[in-house]
Amino acid sequence: MNFRDQRISEFLEAVASKSPTPGGGAVGAIVAAMGTALVEMVASLTIGKKDYEDYEGEMERVLSEASYRRKRFLELADLDASAFDQVMDAMKLPKDTEDQKKFRTEKLQEALKHASEMPYELAREISKVCPLAEFVNKYGNKNALSDARSASWLLKASFEIAVSNVEINLKLIKDEKFVSKMRESLSAIKGMVDQCFNDSNLDR
Amino acid sequence: MNFRDQRISEFLEAVASKSPTPGGGAVGAIVAAMGTALVEMVASLTIGKKDYEDYEGEMERVLSEASYRRKRFLELADLDASAFDQVMDAMKLPKDTEDQKKFRTEKLQEALKHASEMPYELAREISKVCPLAEFVNKYGNKNALSDARSASWLLKASFEIAVSNVEINLKLIKDEKFVSKMRESLSAIKGMVDQCFNDSNLDR
């Protein structure tokens, strides 16, 4: 899969179709990429402007880090869809004999773990981009303030999608150690990101 | 402009660039289309399933309305970007003589009104899709619950973007009657949509 090369209308048709991929996971990653692209735009519209000289160096770093993360989000969209397809494939394995059942369960559990790691990785990446969005909200070109706010809202939506997708997979995973470790890490990320969105003053 | 035919990576590059369009407005409309596509997917994964027979007719209607609205969102993305370009064009008009100044102000005010109507229209369309998302959250296939939640989160983000974009334009419009009428209509839509998202139980 390679969503980056799909036309927007094609991608939307694929999402809307009965096929479960691309679903919320891939869309969430692409929306995170859109939010990050808006962070870059606001940074670009700020750099070189006299009124904003004080933060020029920091703004350059924001631009370069956001640009790097945006590409990562596109990769994650592909990886998320293929991880989900592996779950679907495992579910289709035969379960007529005890051996088959055992093999299917093993494969399915493996695929579910992998499928929970993708949105977890998305959530982790968003936790790194949220402060960049916060920065352009606070110190970016005031003429682009609604774009900065838009960036934060898109990152918030994609974060909620990522969290929801991790949790839905964890519910099906039987390895309790894996689940509790994952929940713990996710909870730490949630704390950071919730704080970041609070600091970004998104309320109307 | 025709975003629907752009590849996702191209569109992202265009957003990230220094050019103010496409900006938050166009991105917001495309994200609304993505949320609506997820509503369609969940409806499709529900229709024809025995456990969900009771709502089959309603689910068919949700699917068909969402499909129609998704196409409208893509149109709005293009219209929003071209409305914003008209504002930028008006700002570039000469203002050396009194006549030029007067002409420029007229053109700019006209363009700003039009630019505020596009995100208003986006907000209005989202107010019609939110109940569809709420419906698939409540009565859709439970296996696709995280996709239904994702749809609502994307619609919420795009609604906040639309509201923010209407307001930023209204601040620059001098026709007080236009502004107060717009604020009143927007406030009514906000009430409906906030209620709809509350009813959708998006909290973690």
Side-chain angles (χ1 to χ4, degrees), chain A residues 98-159:
Chain A
E98 281 310 307
D99 273 3
Q100 281 177 346
K101 272 187 203 162
K102 201 181 155 213
F103 180 75
R104 180 178 176 276
T105 303
E106 266 169 32
K107 285 284 158 200
L108 184 57
Q109 286 294 312
E110 218 172 83
L112 284 167
K113 280 184 185 177
H114 185 52
S116 72
E117 280 160 353
M118 290 304 109
Y120 172 79
E121 188 58 24
L122 174 58
R124 216 170 60 94
E125 285 287 326
I126 295 168
S127 76
K128 288 173 188 161
V129 177
C130 186
L132 310 181
E134 187 189 339
F135 190 82
V136 297
N137 266 287
K138 286 185 176 157
Y139 306 112
N141 190 327
K142 291 290 167 232
N143 292 330
L145 186 59
S146 75
D147 297 297
R149 279 177 64 88
S150 301
S152 290
W153 270 109
L154 296 173
L155 292 166
K156 177 156 178 64
S158 53
F159 185 72

Side-chain angles (χ1 to χ4, degrees), chain B residues 44-63:
Chain B
S44 291
L45 289 169
T46 308
I47 292 165
K49 293 273 170 20
K50 238 191 150 157
D51 291 351
Y52 302 93
E53 271 175 352
D54 290 355
Y55 297 102
E56 182 116 348
E58 191 98 15
M59 209 48 96
E60 294 274 11
R61 277 190 295 279
V62 165
L63 177 59

Side-chain angles (χ1 to χ4, degrees), chain B residues 146-180:
Chain B
S146 75
D147 297 296
R149 279 178 64 88
S150 300
S152 291
W153 270 109
L154 296 173
L155 292 166
K156 176 156 177 63
S158 52
F159 185 73
E160 296 296 337
I161 290 171
V163 168
S164 174
N165 279 346
V166 174
E167 282 170 356
I168 220 135
N169 284 303
L170 290 186
K171 279 184 192 153
L172 303 169
I173 294 172
K174 288 167 187 165
D175 178 346
E176 285 177 23
K177 215 168 147 188
F178 177 92
V179 171
S180 73

Side-chain angles (χ1 to χ4, degrees), chain B residues 119-147:
Chain B
Y120 172 78
E121 187 58 24
L122 174 58
R124 216 170 60 96
E125 284 287 325
I126 295 169
S127 75
K128 290 172 187 163
V129 178
C130 187
L132 311 180
E134 188 189 340
F135 190 82
V136 297
N137 266 287
K138 286 186 177 157
Y139 306 111
N141 190 327
K142 291 290 166 234
N143 292 330
L145 185 60
S146 75
D147 297 296

